[in-house]
Amino acid sequence: MDLFMKCAIEEAEAGLREGGIPIGSVLVRGGRIIGRGRNRRVQDNDPVLHAEIDCLRNAGRIQSYAGCTLYSTLMPCYLCAGAVVQFGIGKVVAGESENFPGAREFLESHGVEVLDLDLDVCKTMMHAFIEAHPDLWYEDIGVL
């Protein structure tokens, strides 16, 4: 596992400690992190503040996302995948997609390179959260 995914995992763990959903994300350009975020939907009472959206907000206006890679502990949903496509982010690295398959096909159909690392640490963290808080999880993915 590389440093960037470790940082995304740190964001997910911080979100969990805050009472939120443990999904973290970092945006990388030129070998350095330019944005970090975590799912803050619960903490901020904001239905669209997913980890990837928080990460993009924290990166700020950077004019061009060409050459950027978005790391996320979970395969991005359609909301976040739409932001990736909209801003022209060329690569997404996901920690896992077992607990949630996300929008991989959508991303790939729009020319985004997607790499699923299938990491046990990400799968275990998300699975434990879903079992302990199914109401928050299913609300987050719009199933309730």
Side-chain angles (χ1 to χ4, degrees), residues 65-82:
Y65 294 85
C68 287
T69 299
L70 184 72
Y71 286 75
S72 182
T73 57
L74 187 66
M75 188 64 69
C77 69
Y78 282 96
L79 169 72
C80 299

Side-chain angles (χ1 to χ4, degrees), residues 41 69 93 107 114 116 123-124 138:
R41 192 184 58 77
T69 299
V93 179
L107 288 164
V114 179
D116 183 353
K123 291 189 286 189
T124 300
Y138 290 110

